[in-house]
Amino acid sequence: EGEGEGEAPPPGGPVELDGVFNARQTGGLATQDGRRVRAGVLLRSGHLAGLSEAGCQQLRALGVASVVDLRAAAEADSQPDVACVREETRYLLGDLPKILPPSAESYLRTLDAAEPRLAALFGHLAEDGALPALIHCVIGRDRANLITALVLSALGVSREAILEDFVSNQDTPVQAEWLAAALDRVAAAGGAEAYLQAHGVTAAQLERLRSQALE
């Protein structure tokens, strides 16, 4: 069922990674120009410090080529992702602060901290062979969803679909208004492409990312 051209399976959903909380993928989300995010190409989760040997095998089976660890350096140092992640993927430490409690204001402050790093983050994801990629923080709720939302915006997914994925594609409760404020900032800058280019991401990187992530 759902295999035909017109009947794509529902977007998003859980991913089996033994020892990891809130592992989800965003495949199937539609873009505004009629394409879709490829299945299994963009994942988000909690940290990978507890990934078991079975989890490492699952990560390999998923073909994960890149891991973006959005935890602050001190968090990542105290609970590093397991060796199979650091040795077998293109691992990038995003080094974003943990700002709690979650709220629209916290997400905007996280976005403030992320903006100087967006060129490096998107440059990493846009490299040839960088996908599938897994983006994570501690529990895969705040920083991971914020950066994933920016990636989905760059791919052309609508605000409504991003917010729906944020709320429904989770193993932990969230509120749409937390993320909506950040998406409002992107929209006010003229949309994802203008916003990201203002922070050093190039048009060529965005096109390369789309060519690898969309079908």
Side-chain angles (χ1 to χ4, degrees):
E1 69 181 58
E3 296 299 319
E5 272 302 302
E7 275 192 275
V15 173
E16 285 295 323
L17 280 177
D18 189 56
V20 177
F21 178 68
N22 201 18
R24 319 290 295 192
Q25 64 101 13
T26 57
L29 285 172
T31 65
Q32 294 176 91
D33 66 0
R35 292 185 283 179
R36 288 188 181 275
V37 179
R38 284 171 40 214
V41 81
L42 186 62
L43 297 85
R44 53 176 162 74
S45 73
H47 68 72
L48 306 181
L51 194 66
S52 67
E53 182 48 48
C56 286
Q57 295 287 3
Q58 290 166 326
L59 194 74
R60 296 179 191 114
L62 289 165
V64 171
S66 300
V67 167
V68 177
D69 181 349
L70 295 172
R71 295 176 297 172
E75 293 176 277
D77 286 347
S78 67
Q79 267 197 311
D81 286 352
V82 296
C84 74
V85 173
R86 290 176 286 113
E87 295 169 5
E88 298 176 28
T89 73
R90 306 181 194 191
Y91 174 87
L92 177 71
L93 180 64
D95 195 15
L96 296 182
K98 177 161 64 175
I99 300 172
L100 294 173
S103 66
E105 177 60 31
S106 294
Y107 275 48
L108 287 173
R109 288 172 57 206
T110 304
L111 190 55
D112 290 338
E115 284 173 351
R117 297 171 172 79
L118 291 177
L121 291 171
F122 275 80
H124 184 78
L125 293 171
E127 288 174 5
D128 289 335
L131 301 182
L134 186 151
I135 298 170
H136 80 81
C137 49
V138 175
I139 64 170
R141 182 190 62 196
D142 303 322
R143 289 167 287 187
N145 273 291
L146 180 62
I147 297 304
T148 299
L150 293 182
V151 175
L152 292 172
S153 293
L155 295 176
V157 178
S158 72
R159 169 197 172 92
E160 294 72 24
I162 291 170
L163 289 174
E164 170 62 25
D165 178 73
F166 175 58
V167 171
S168 64
N169 191 14
Q170 297 283 353
D171 291 324
T172 186
V174 300
Q175 296 178 27
E177 56 262 31
W178 300 347
L179 182 61
L183 295 178
D184 287 345
R185 181 185 293 181
V186 174
E193 188 142 358
Y195 170 80
L196 291 167
Q197 289 187 24
H199 292 287
V201 182
T202 69
Q205 287 169 332
L206 292 172
E207 187 46 50
R208 206 156 56 237
L209 183 63
R210 292 184 195 112
S211 71
Q212 296 184 84
L214 298 177
E215 60 184 11

